[in-house]
Amino acid sequence: MMCEQCGNRPATVHFTEIVQGEKNEYHLCETCAKEKGYAAYQFMAGAFSVNQLLSGLMNLDPAVKQRAASSQTRCESCGLTFSQFSQIGRFGCEHCYEAFAPGLDPMLKKIQSSSQHVGKIPKRQGGAIAHRRELIRLRQELQAHIKEERFEEAARLRDQIRALEMRVSE
Amino acid sequence: MSLEDYLAQNSATWLKDDGPESDIVISSRVRIARNLRGRVFPMLATDQDKQEILEAAARAAKHGALSRLGPFEMFAMRDLSEVDQQVLVEKHLISPGLIESSGGAVLLRPDEEVSIMVNEEDHLRIQCLLPGYQLETTYRLADQLDDGLEEMVDYAFDEEKGYLTACPTNVGTGMRASIMMHLPVLVMTGHINRILSAVTHVGLAVRGIYGEGSDALGNLFQISNQITLGQTEQEIIGNLHGVARQLINHERTARQHLLQANRVLLEDRVCRSFGILAYARQIDSKEALSRLSDVRLGIDLGVIRGVSAGILKELMVATQPGSLQKSAGHTMTAEERDVRRAALIRDRLRADPSSSLS
C-alpha cells in the first residue's frame, strides 16, 4: 500500500482516529506522518519512573498537597514524614499506611482501581478475615434470593450463614 | 550446587525449553511482594534488621513448607562479584534494584524457575518465570510458594489495603504478572503503537525487556498489570490473558498477511540479518538483538531452516555484557565485548550444522 498523502512512498504508519464518533483510517509513509504530527504516536508507549509519576501525582493534586502541608504528619512507628514519603514514593513501614491515610487515599484511587483489597488473604493469619468476607458474600446472596422470592435457596443460605456465624464467634 | 554452577549453566528453564505459543510468547512471569509484620521496610532497615530478615527467609526455605517446593540455596549479594550480579540480572533472576540494596540476597532453585529476592524494595519478592505462555501455571506456583513462606512468617497485611508493600503501586495483591512477547511484524507494520496504547487503557502496562525506562529492544515487549488493589489475582491474570490472546492473534495474522503480500521484502530483511550475524566481526548488543529478532522471525516463518528457535532467547542473554565477561573469564571493554559477541553468534549459527536458507 502506498502513502495516501504523497503517493510516492510505501505506507508504514497506519492508524485509526475517532473524533466525535466519526472514524477515519490513515495510511501514511513515515515522512508524511511526521509532517502531519502523527509521529507523536510513536512515543505513547514510553515508560517513566514510578517514583517520578507518584511524586508528580501528589504534587498535582491540591487536596493531597493541602493535607500534607497543613499537617507535618509523621509515622510514629518509623519516623517517616508525609513530605519525605511524597518525595521518595516509598513507605518506611506498614504503619505508614495508617499514618498517611488522609493524604494517601485520594492518591491510591488515582493509581489503583479502588482502595479496597479484594484479593488473596493470608491462610494462617487471615482466617477470621476470610470468614467475615465469606459472611458478607453469603448475606448478599441471601438478599438476592429473597428479592427474587426463591425462598427454598434462601432458607438453605440462612442456615449456612448461621453455622458460619457460630464458628466465627467461637 | 555452587553459584559457579548456576551461572555457568545456560539451563534456566525459561531460556531452554519452548513453552506453549512460544513462536510469540517468550516467557510468563509472576512476582509477588511481601513484607514481614512488625519490621521496618528495607529502605529504613539497619544491617541488623536486614540480617534478621535474611535469617527468617533462610529458615523458611530450609524447614518450612517452602522446603518441599525447593531445594533453595541462598546467595548474598555482598559475596558476589559485580559480573556475577550482572549475570543474575541478565538471566532475569534478580532485579537491578537488589544489587543496589545493601544486605540483599536471593534464594534460588536449581531450575531457575523460582527466585526469592530478600531485602530488595520489600522484604520478600517471590518470582516465578516459565517459558512460553503459561501464566496460570506460573501464578499457581507463585501462590504455593507464598503459602509455603506464610507458614513460617507473619506477613504485614491489612483487611482493607491487603498486603502492605513499600511502594503504594504494589499494595493489595502485591502481584505483578507479566508476559514477554516477540512482536516483530506488528512493529514492522506500525500497528503496534495503536495496539499498545489500547493495552495501557485497560489497566495494563507495556515495557521494554529490561523494565522501566528501557526501549523495546529486539521487538520484545513486556505486558504487565498496573493495578494491584481492587482486583483479585484471578481477575488480573484473566485481563492479561485476554490481551495476550489478542496480541498473539494479531501478530500471527499480520505475519501471514505480510508473507503473502510482501514475501520478498520480508525474506530480504530476514536473510540480510542472518548474513550479518553469520559474518560480522564486531556487533553491539542493540544491533545483535534486532538482527536476532529478524532471524527468529525467519525461523518461525520457515524462511530460515536448521537453526533452533531457541537462538533468540539463548543469545539475548548470553550476549549481554555480564554473561559475555563471565564466559570469557575476565572483564572486557565495550569494544572487546562487541568482538566476542560477534564470535559467539557466529559460533552458535555454525553449531547448527544444517543451518541454511530456504
Side-chain angles (χ1 to χ4, degrees):
Chain A
M1 186 189 292
M2 298 308 278
C3 171
E4 59 190 22
Q5 186 76 20
C6 64
N8 290 330
R9 290 174 289 258
T12 52
V13 180
H14 310 268
F15 65 91
T16 308
E17 188 180 70
I18 301 172
V19 180
Q20 291 175 335
E22 206 162 302
K23 190 170 143 186
N24 286 309
E25 282 186 36
Y26 298 92
H27 308 279
L28 304 169
C29 69
E30 210 152 314
T31 315
C32 293
K34 267 189 196 137
E35 267 169 31
K36 281 182 148 288
Y38 296 127
Y41 281 75
Q42 306 277 338
F43 303 104
M44 285 187 78
F48 18 153
S49 122
V50 176
N51 296 17
Q52 271 173 6
L53 207 64
L54 276 180
S55 99
L57 272 176
M58 282 187 281
N59 292 329
L60 269 178
D61 189 330
V64 176
K65 221 174 166 182
Q66 205 182 355
R67 280 193 191 103
S70 62
S71 64
Q72 261 304 316
T73 318
R74 180 183 289 273
C75 171
E76 292 300 327
S77 189
C78 71
L80 195 76
T81 64
F82 187 84
S83 65
Q84 281 174 322
F85 162 68
S86 64
Q87 275 164 20
I88 317 165
R90 298 278 185 281
F91 295 115
C93 73
E94 66 201 270
H95 304 292
C96 292
Y97 278 92
E98 265 173 68
F100 303 150
L104 184 64
D105 286 348
M107 185 192 57
L108 278 181
K109 266 188 205 123
K110 275 202 175 123
I111 54 176
Q112 300 280 2
S113 72
S114 100
S115 53
Q116 178 66 49
H117 176 61
V118 292
K120 185 175 176 177
I121 294 165
K123 287 221 159 58
R124 188 171 47 80
Q125 303 160 247
I129 301 171
H131 281 144
R132 265 204 298 282
R133 218 190 252 184
E134 178 67 1
L135 271 177
I136 293 170
R137 192 187 65 79
L138 289 173
R139 285 188 192 126
Q140 280 168 349
E141 217 175 304
L142 175 68
Q143 286 307 317
H145 283 316
I146 293 172
K147 212 171 164 191
E148 289 160 23
E149 300 184 358
R150 295 208 301 255
F151 298 115
E152 222 168 288
E153 281 102 330
R156 189 179 50 79
L157 270 176
R158 184 202 54 211
D159 295 344
Q160 219 178 317
I161 290 169
R162 277 192 190 146
L164 193 57
E165 279 171 342
M166 293 275 280
R167 261 170 48 213
V168 174
S169 65
E170 273 165 18
Chain B
M1 193 182 233
S2 73
L3 184 74
E4 284 307 306
D5 294 329
Y6 273 99
L7 296 176
Q9 66 179 355
N10 212 354
S11 67
T13 308
W14 78 273
L15 284 172
K16 209 181 203 174
D17 298 335
D18 273 341
E21 320 285 6
S22 64
D23 56 330
I24 294 171
V25 183
I26 302 281
S27 61
S28 305
R29 170 155 59 171
V30 170
R31 188 216 70 196
I32 294 179
R34 295 287 185 256
N35 286 285
L36 271 49
R37 198 163 72 184
R39 289 168 178 277
V40 289
F41 293 157
M43 181 180 79
L44 294 184
T46 62
D47 289 349
Q48 179 60 30
D49 293 332
K50 287 183 181 173
Q51 186 56 34
E52 285 170 20
I53 304 290
L54 281 180
E55 282 163 17
R59 251 195 324 274
K62 211 158 207 156
H63 305 295
L66 191 65
S67 64
R68 289 193 287 280
L69 298 160
F72 290 96
E73 229 173 306
M74 187 180 270
F75 301 103
M77 287 303 117
R78 63 166 174 268
D79 297 337
L80 305 184
S81 70
E82 237 171 81
V83 167
D84 287 353
Q85 294 172 348
Q86 190 60 30
V87 173
L88 291 175
V89 173
E90 289 167 6
K91 289 176 118 182
H92 298 230
L93 296 173
I94 64 170
S95 69
L98 188 68
I99 298 172
E100 284 157 28
S101 124
S102 67
V106 63
L107 282 159
L108 279 180
R109 201 165 81 169
D111 59 9
E112 301 182 12
E113 280 180 5
V114 176
S115 56
I116 302 173
M117 287 188 271
V118 189
N119 291 328
E120 202 236 29
E121 184 180 294
D122 295 294
H123 291 142
L124 299 166
R125 283 197 165 183
I126 302 162
Q127 183 195 261
C128 298
L129 183 56
L130 293 176
Y133 189 65
Q134 307 192 61
L135 209 46
E136 198 45 63
T137 314
T138 314
Y139 170 65
R140 274 201 304 275
L141 179 57
D143 190 43
Q144 284 175 348
L145 290 155
D146 179 41
D147 289 346
L149 270 165
E150 202 241 334
E151 280 192 18
M152 296 286 283
V153 296
D154 280 340
Y155 284 149
F157 181 84
D158 174 75
E159 185 164 0
E160 196 188 324
K161 296 276 184 293
Y163 293 93
L164 303 174
T165 51
C167 183
T169 54
N170 294 319
V171 72
T173 59
M175 183 177 85
R176 201 69 66 185
S178 67
I179 336 165
M180 202 203 287
M181 307 184 93
H182 183 223
L183 304 171
V185 176
L186 287 179
V187 172
M188 223 183 278
T189 54
H191 286 96
I192 194 75
N193 295 313
R194 201 181 63 200
I195 293 171
L196 295 186
S197 86
V199 167
T200 56
H201 280 109
V202 294
L204 301 178
V206 185
R207 298 206 174 93
I209 49 168
Y210 278 110
E212 282 164 45
S214 65
D215 296 332
L217 288 176
N219 303 314
L220 294 163
F221 294 89
Q222 192 189 310
I223 323 276
S224 61
N225 63 302
Q226 208 157 13
I227 288 160
T228 53
L229 187 63
Q231 288 183 352
T232 65
E233 286 80 357
Q234 288 71 23
E235 282 168 340
I236 292 170
I237 299 283
N239 279 351
L240 209 49
H241 174 77
V243 167
R245 284 256 55 103
Q246 283 195 42
L247 280 168
I248 293 170
N249 289 341
H250 279 309
E251 171 71 18
R252 285 218 181 107
T253 312
R255 285 181 186 190
Q256 287 317 313
H257 182 75
L258 190 66
L259 206 54
Q260 279 162 14
N262 226 332
R263 193 182 184 101
V264 175
L265 183 92
L266 188 68
E267 286 186 348
D268 183 65
R269 173 169 167 163
V270 161
C271 296
R272 277 171 190 272
S273 286
F274 184 92
I276 286 168
L277 291 179
Y279 292 100
R281 264 25 191 187
Q282 55 182 17
I283 193 162
D284 65 33
S285 58
K286 206 170 165 185
E287 183 181 1
L289 202 50
S290 101
R291 303 284 176 201
L292 283 165
S293 163
D294 286 346
V295 167
R296 172 69 209 248
L297 178 65
I299 296 166
D300 288 339
L301 294 177
V303 175
I304 293 173
R305 300 208 178 106
V307 182
S308 64
I311 190 168
L312 172 66
K313 270 203 257 186
E314 191 189 312
L315 287 179
M316 78 184 211
V317 171
T319 62
Q320 293 288 312
S323 303
L324 276 177
Q325 297 181 75
K326 184 72 193 170
S327 69
H330 55 86
T331 55
M332 288 188 281
T333 63
E335 290 76 25
E336 287 169 334
R337 291 202 300 267
D338 288 352
V339 171
R340 190 174 167 87
R341 181 177 297 112
L344 192 74
I345 296 173
R346 287 201 310 273
D347 274 0
R348 176 60 177 78
L349 285 173
R350 256 199 301 275
D352 270 318
S354 56
S355 63
S356 63
L357 306 174
S358 71

